[in-house]
Amino acid sequence: MTTGTPPPTARKRSRARTFVPLAFAAWAVLEIWLLIVVADVAGGFTVLLLLAAGVALGAVVMKRAGRRAFRNLTETLQQMPGQPGAGAGGSSPAPSSTRGNGFLMLAGLLIMIPGMISDVAGLLLLVPPVRSALSGYAERSLDRRMRAAGPGSLSDAFQQARMHRPDGKVVQGEVIREEPTTPDDPRPPLAP
């Protein structure tokens, strides 16, 4: 017996959902292999000391980056247009002092993760020219994507996510319930 509706088709899996788990697994295997190689050459105690130093250095870097970001946020919020101490026209602090805090935190996180590849990537992010180049690239990429998205697309996406039901049907509308009042209503009217 058929109902006349076509069966739901499965969505095609994106490349990112396919390759990101594979890349993560390959990265983890490579990190473990490198730790074993370094332990064979330098000894297990040396690897343990390197891992402990990485966790400590990563925590210091993350704490410093967090304090720097909080200080920049506080300075920006305290500078209001028209107040003394604000820049020309109430401008925000220099872009060089506020850029790269996220990459500093990422550097600290990468250093804290056990492994040699992540440590090297984290140490590279501590170099200011590398960090500023990545920050500029990320800013240009985000700007390009925001321009391509069009106005209001983010709010429209949230609106669409709220309206769509799990089965794919769209339910839009407004419910208005009108209750007729009868004189023999047992409830008294509300007094102001």
Side-chain angles (χ1 to χ4, degrees):
M1 180 161 125
T2 60
T3 61
T5 59
T9 58
R11 283 184 170 173
K12 188 175 179 181
R13 192 171 186 164
S14 70
R15 286 186 178 180
R17 288 187 64 190
T18 301
F19 290 118
V20 168
L22 293 174
F24 182 75
W27 169 72
V29 168
L30 187 60
E31 289 277 22
I32 292 169
W33 177 75
L34 279 175
L35 284 175
I36 291 171
V37 168
V38 171
D40 283 344
V41 172
F45 187 68
T46 305
V47 170
L48 184 65
L49 285 177
L50 283 173
L51 293 176
V55 168
L57 178 64
V60 168
V61 168
M62 286 183 74
K63 185 176 181 178
R64 181 174 169 233
R67 284 185 178 172
R68 182 176 159 192
F70 186 74
R71 183 180 64 240
N72 289 337
L73 176 66
T74 304
E75 288 173 1
T76 302
L77 291 176
Q78 287 177 350
Q79 291 182 351
M80 296 180 70
Q83 288 187 349
S91 63
S92 61
S96 61
S97 67
T98 60
R99 289 179 71 170
N101 288 330
F103 284 114
L104 274 176
M105 288 186 184
L106 179 63
L109 179 67
L110 287 172
I111 292 171
M112 287 178 74
I113 294 174
M116 301 297 161
I117 298 171
S118 62
D119 288 347
V120 169
L123 289 173
L124 278 176
L125 282 175
L126 290 179
V127 178
V130 172
R131 194 172 56 242
S132 65
L134 282 174
S135 179
Y137 173 75
E139 189 174 320
R140 285 189 306 272
S141 175
L142 181 64
D143 186 40
R144 189 172 50 246
R145 286 178 188 235
M146 291 299 283
R147 262 192 257 124
S153 62
L154 185 60
S155 64
D156 290 344
F158 285 120
Q159 181 76 10
Q160 291 295 323
R162 283 195 339 227
M163 287 189 313
H164 285 279
R165 293 183 5 192
D167 59 1
K169 295 179 183 175
V170 177
V171 178
Q172 293 180 344
E174 185 175 312
V175 176
I176 300 174
R177 182 173 40 177
E178 295 180 18
E179 294 181 14
T181 57
T182 58
D184 56 335
D185 194 9
R187 294 178 289 178
L190 295 175

